[in-house]
Amino acid sequence: MASFKSASQESAAKRIGSFLAKLVKHQIFIPIAALLILVIFNLIADPSFFAISLDQNSLGNPVFSGYLITILDNASELVILAIGMTLVTAASGGQDISVGSAIAISGSVMLRVLCGTNSRPEVLQAPIIVAFLVCCVVAMLFGAFNGTLVAIFKIQPMVATLILFTAGRSVAAWINKNELPIISDASFGYYGNFIPGIPIPTPIFIAVACMILIALVLKFTNLGLYTQSVGINANSSRLNGIDPALIKFITFVILGLCVAVAGFIKVSRFSTINYSVIAKDIEMDAILAVALGGNALNGGKFNMGASILGAYVIQFLTTTLYKFNVVSSALPAYKAVVVIILVVLSAPIVRDKITETWKKLAPVKIAKEAS
Amino acid sequence: MLLQKSAKERNPLMNRHSISDTNILLYITFAVFVVMYAAAIIFLGSGFLKPQTFFSILNENAALIILSCGMSIVMISGGIDISVGAVTALVCMSCAVNLDFNGGSVLTAILLALFVGLMFGLVQGFLVAYLEVQPFIVTLAGMFFAKGMTTIVNSTQFNVVHEGFQKLKSTRINIPGMGSYNKLGIVVPAYVEIGVIVAIITVVVLFMVLRWTKLGRNFYAVGGNSQSANMLGINVKRTKFLAHILCGLLAGIGGFVYFLHVGSGSPSHASGAEMNAIASSIIGGTMLTGGVGNIIGTFFGVLSLSTIKNIVSSLGLDEAWWTNITVAAMICLFLLIQSVVLSRKNKNKL
């Protein structure tokens, strides 16, 4: 009986060991490990970080508050962008650096439609859904512009999107004639803050809806397969009947749609827009999310779940840094260090070195276990 | 011999006397600059006819010229460096703090500028060349690191009052025979700042390096096709490493020249300079795919870019957005030209 018990224990230990080994090799391990490090760090530094309380906000509605809610809430735009950025990265082997500027444009279009000619209207000049649809169309057009440059003119994605990156915020200011429209209608703020009676921030719902949508798209269409095959080898995909240009173009248009949704949330948070500040440096965070998810930045295979988790980890890091009173303008320096560590660890050469040393060490370990 | 001749006849690219596609880019740049400047003189009046207008463009863009030269070298060797603008801001801030708060002299400030630039070049070059990380990601991280470090060094803008530095800053080199008369009939001499001299020396030296030294030709070989460069016995990794070091060093020099021009330290200095530098290089005929480019072209690229900015602002469209939109439109145009040239080149190869 006793021997049976020990044997089952042994096999369980082995199973756990093999599960751990698999996990370490799995792509999603990197963001999970980063998340765990952050959680442990915060637990040690200040356990009250994880406290969630039910408070009343200024409008008298009961809302959840706490750092965790803030993280989930503020990460929404980043998560939505990470979805599109992952597809673009996989298909074209480059990143779109114009998402921040494009958010400024789509937000500006949104406000323009809602406000009409008056920059401070008493009532909305158009239904929110119409404004949102117009904003989607415009953002997709700009995505199509980037996509055309990349897919048809074969310009490197980062350089092609440099055009919109340079001009985007200026275009956004131009759309509203450099005025700062303010929307006084409370219902517009629901999408970026809280719907009365629901204690969870609305952006979380929007982000979850986007995740479900992309999961369904990846499950029931060939989009995921095609983007990966184009990213791995565009020429052989072409020979197999996939049009690489079309696939790249589609990924950029999808990113445009993501930008429109993210821009909608961003504008709704404050009911106004500041062209030079809105979504500033978000392109860096979106690229970082993709990199943190362990996706190859030069195209090919991707893991959507890992990217989304990566986006949450980045917001976790940002919020942690804010909590420790890091000035917002000094934030990039810390993030840059994280990026450098990540890219160095995920560089193929470094990985090969690590596996080599691991192999050298492994026989010793096995011998020890045997004895 | 016969075979050679027929090959030449078949392929116009092999004929030395016909203009090669890559030279077309340089000629286009030069023509654009001349046409634009002429148009400005004709339509915008005599302001552009004064030599000082031209020298003012040089004075304002001396730092950009140096930064663009570094950018061109990295782009020729097949990479990209988007950290130069942020490094410029960091250099400005560290030099300003060194001069005013830490009792430094002009010499220590210059050394500090070179050191900062060199360190960025070294680290980024190592990561790009030896660890084979994508240059865009590395330099993006470098850009954010430099941005953050600038505010960590000092978070507010302040003007430098150091005496020796002020003397150097206000030094003007008059150019004989180029002066103009002001309303009172007194001759106002045309002048350039020290930064312009540094920029022109940089352009000339780098032009010679790229044209006539082994290192310079290696940059082109590695950027054109790194595999065949490797087979020819060129140390590809070292060449890429050196390109980034050179770019970092030039970012340090450019940073100090920028500092000399503005005379203050601020986290918002030179924001977007990397984009202007990339734009200038592209307009100057440097191919993004690597292997093609010319420092003289880059020089004219900077001039074209700043001329168009001047035109836009003197047309009365001085709302800030027009400048950015025209610059973006120009990048777009030149990218499309490059794309067409590249596809023509590929067709000729087949």
Side-chain angles (χ1 to χ4, degrees), chain B residues 40-298:
Chain B
I41 290 171
I42 293 165
F43 294 111
L44 296 171
S46 58
F48 278 86
L49 212 53
K50 277 185 197 163
Q52 186 54 46
T53 311
F54 180 73
F55 290 124
S56 297
I57 290 178
L58 276 183
N59 284 339
E60 265 160 39
N61 292 292
L64 185 58
I65 291 172
I66 299 172
L67 294 181
S68 306
C69 287
M71 184 69 76
S72 295
I73 290 174
V74 172
M75 276 164 68
I76 286 169
S77 70
I80 199 160
D81 187 342
I82 56 167
S83 70
V84 289
V87 172
T88 302
L90 180 59
V91 164
C92 284
M93 189 57 98
S94 357
C95 287
V97 168
N98 178 265
L99 282 176
D100 267 17
F101 301 153
N102 298 350
S105 65
V106 173
L107 185 68
T108 56
I110 292 175
L111 288 178
L112 185 67
L114 294 180
F115 175 75
V116 170
L118 195 62
M119 283 318 288
F120 269 87
L122 269 173
V123 174
Q124 292 177 351
F126 178 75
L127 290 175
V128 170
Y130 291 103
L131 297 187
E132 290 175 8
V133 186
Q134 274 201 344
F136 194 93
I137 300 299
V138 170
T139 53
L140 190 71
M143 166 177 153
F144 277 75
F145 184 72
K147 264 190 190 174
M149 278 311 284
T150 311
T151 40
I152 289 172
V153 170
N154 191 345
S155 56
T156 48
Q157 177 168 7
F158 69 99
N159 287 330
V160 175
V161 289
H162 189 273
E163 239 174 69
F165 174 75
Q166 283 300 335
K167 227 178 184 179
L168 194 67
K169 176 172 157 39
S170 55
T171 308
R172 289 174 172 184
I173 295 149
N174 290 338
I175 294 171
M178 288 288 201
S180 54
Y181 294 93
N182 66 2
K183 279 174 193 162
L184 299 170
I186 302 164
V187 178
V188 182
Y191 69 90
V192 290
E193 288 168 6
I194 294 179
V196 178
I197 309 293
V198 178
I200 287 173
I201 292 173
T202 313
V203 168
V204 171
V205 168
L206 287 178
F207 175 73
M208 291 200 289
V209 166
L210 283 182
R211 193 105 211 209
W212 287 303
T213 65
K214 202 176 147 197
L215 178 69
R217 303 319 291 178
N218 282 358
F219 287 144
Y220 284 98
V222 168
N225 190 334
S226 59
Q227 273 182 342
S228 39
N230 198 15
M231 285 173 186
L232 285 170
I234 296 169
N235 191 335
V236 173
K237 288 181 177 179
R238 213 191 58 171
T239 311
K240 281 188 177 173
F241 187 45
L242 285 175
H244 275 274
I245 288 181
L246 208 51
C247 183
L249 196 61
L250 286 170
I253 298 172
F256 191 79
V257 168
Y258 190 92
F259 180 52
L260 205 57
H261 183 67
V262 293
S264 62
S266 158
S268 63
H269 270 343
S271 66
E274 61 278 347
M275 298 308 160
N276 281 335
I278 294 173
S280 306
S281 295
I282 291 171
I283 293 169
T286 308
M287 283 265 203
L288 286 161
T289 41
V292 177
N294 194 319
I295 291 293
I296 301 291
T298 306

Side-chain angles (χ1 to χ4, degrees), chain A residues 93 97 145 149 153 155-156 158-159 162-163 165-167 170-171 173-174 178 281 284 287 297-298 329-330 332-333 336-337 339-340 343-344 347 349-350, chain B residues 80 127 130-134 136-138 140-141 144-145 147-149 151-152 237 275 278 282 288-289 320-322 324-325 327-328 331-332 335-336 339:
Chain A
I97 59 168
F145 171 72
L149 289 179
F153 291 99
I155 301 168
Q156 284 173 3
M158 284 154 188
V159 181
L162 181 72
I163 297 169
F165 176 89
T166 315
S170 303
V171 172
W174 174 61
N178 217 7
D281 299 341
M284 170 77 171
I287 296 170
L297 287 175
N298 44 9
S329 49
V337 173
V339 182
I340 291 290
V343 290
V344 166
I349 290 188
V350 180
Chain B
I80 199 160
L127 290 175
Y130 291 103
L131 297 187
E132 290 175 8
V133 186
Q134 274 201 344
F136 194 93
I137 300 299
V138 170
L140 190 71
F144 277 75
F145 184 72
K147 264 190 190 174
M149 278 311 284
T151 40
I152 289 172
K237 288 181 177 179
M275 298 308 160
I278 294 173
I282 291 171
L288 286 161
T289 41
W321 62 70
W322 280 112
N324 279 341
I325 293 176
V327 168
I331 303 176
C332 189
L335 278 176
L336 292 182
S339 174

